[in-house]
Amino acid sequence: MKYVRFKKDNFCSYGLLEGEKVKVIEGDIFKDYSVTGRCYDIDEIELLTPCVPSKIVCVGLNYKAHARETNMPLPQEPLIFLKPPTAALAHKGNIIIPAVSGRVDYEAELALVIGKTAKNVKPEDALDYVLGATCLNDVTARDLQKKDGQWTRAKSFDTFAPMGPYIVTGVDYNNLDIELVLNGEIKQKSNTSCFIAKAHQIVSYVSRIMTLDPGDVIATGTPSGVGPMKKGDVVEVRLEGVGVLKNYVE
């Protein structure tokens, strides 16, 4: 299934995407809901972020090739950090380059959307707590990351967590092709089978640190090939079986 969150005039709702039609959902996709007979063409609605997370948990250095290109040692356990909910940005939204940064990079990632409250879950049970997958761009002010040492400021500006356009169920999170396309040119290309920590291990690990609530997002790391964006660029995260997240840089 493909869930969307959308706006039509003053009406906001979740919906179920089937072909080019979005069927309106009544209720909460994380609890109880029903699919109504009311629908819209995908072209007549505005797609919002696919969920409203209380937190965005990110995993750093989860591909060996990316660790090598950043000259950083491989983590012995998942290296996590947080982005604030205010960093979330919808499909086709504008990534704003802050005046204090001279280099802002793209990072294509698979993101997991938590479907039910998870605390201290076992790895073998962890994916039962995931509703589905979405695309995420872990936008990073690279110069500030190097300057600060820790990553909070570099990762947390408004618009620095584009995500969407859908939440897709029924895919193999640990075996999906992933690409980053900048102005039509492929810059990152890999497969999530190259994860150091697999999706179920990540969810379990994070749940032993903090309670994961429905709608929370876990970004699973980026492959090698990260690089800068500039004003006027068009950036896409392409994830096999999940979709294409497109954003504009200004």
Side-chain angles (χ1 to χ4, degrees):
M1 291 189 289
K2 290 186 177 181
Y3 296 105
V4 298
R5 185 169 155 267
F6 71 92
K7 181 179 181 180
K8 171 64 175 175
D9 300 322
N10 293 321
F11 173 67
C12 295
S13 178
Y14 281 101
L16 190 64
L17 179 63
E18 295 182 352
E20 297 298 310
K21 299 287 187 180
V22 174
K23 294 184 176 179
V24 176
I25 284 175
E26 285 186 353
D28 184 348
I29 64 171
F30 301 104
K31 294 180 182 177
D32 296 317
Y33 72 89
S34 61
V35 180
T36 72
R38 183 180 176 189
C39 68
Y40 296 104
D41 291 333
I42 189 71
D43 293 336
E44 62 177 322
I45 61 173
E46 175 188 353
L47 291 177
L48 306 174
T49 57
C51 53
V52 184
S54 71
K55 50 191 169 291
I56 303 167
V57 186
C58 301
V59 179
L61 305 178
N62 200 31
Y63 291 76
K64 291 181 180 179
H66 178 51
R68 285 196 297 268
E69 76 175 348
T70 56
N71 296 312
M72 298 182 72
L74 293 181
Q76 298 303 305
E77 55 188 358
L79 173 63
I80 66 170
F81 58 93
L82 293 171
K83 284 178 177 270
T86 49
L89 178 68
H91 175 61
K92 294 187 178 180
N94 295 327
I95 299 168
I96 309 299
I97 295 179
V100 294
S101 177
R103 173 168 170 164
V104 172
D105 284 8
Y106 52 77
E107 294 189 13
E109 307 203 9
L110 159 70
L112 306 172
V113 179
I114 299 300
K116 57 183 179 180
T117 302
K119 180 62 178 176
N120 293 325
V121 301
K122 298 177 181 178
E124 58 268 29
D125 299 328
L127 296 186
D128 294 338
Y129 294 82
V130 176
L131 175 63
T134 194
C135 305
L136 187 140
N137 189 345
D138 176 16
V139 180
T140 305
R142 193 70 68 199
D143 52 347
L144 301 183
Q145 183 183 27
K146 293 178 180 179
K147 178 181 179 181
D148 293 351
Q150 55 81 29
W151 301 358
T152 301
R153 179 167 66 138
K155 300 281 191 175
S156 296
F157 287 95
D158 292 353
T159 75
F160 269 30
M163 62 180 71
Y166 325 117
I167 302 171
V168 179
T169 65
V171 296
D172 182 353
Y173 310 122
N174 293 314
N175 188 19
L176 297 174
D177 289 334
I178 183 170
E179 292 181 346
L180 188 291
V181 179
L182 185 71
N183 301 323
E185 181 180 353
I186 297 174
K187 296 292 188 179
Q188 292 180 281
K189 186 177 180 67
S190 189
N191 187 284
T192 59
S193 62
C194 296
F195 281 161
I196 297 171
K198 302 299 185 182
H200 57 288
Q201 295 170 324
I202 292 169
V203 174
S204 174
Y205 179 81
V206 175
S207 79
R208 296 198 301 270
I209 300 166
M210 65 190 79
T211 300
L212 293 167
D213 294 317
D216 283 351
V217 169
I218 301 178
T220 55
T222 194
S224 61
V226 299
M229 302 178 291
K230 64 181 186 303
K231 181 180 178 180
D233 284 348
V234 179
V235 60
E236 296 177 319
V237 177
R238 299 179 179 178
L239 200 54
E240 177 188 7
V242 177
V244 178
L245 169 67
K246 177 186 284 189
N247 295 98
Y248 308 95
V249 183
E250 69 171 53

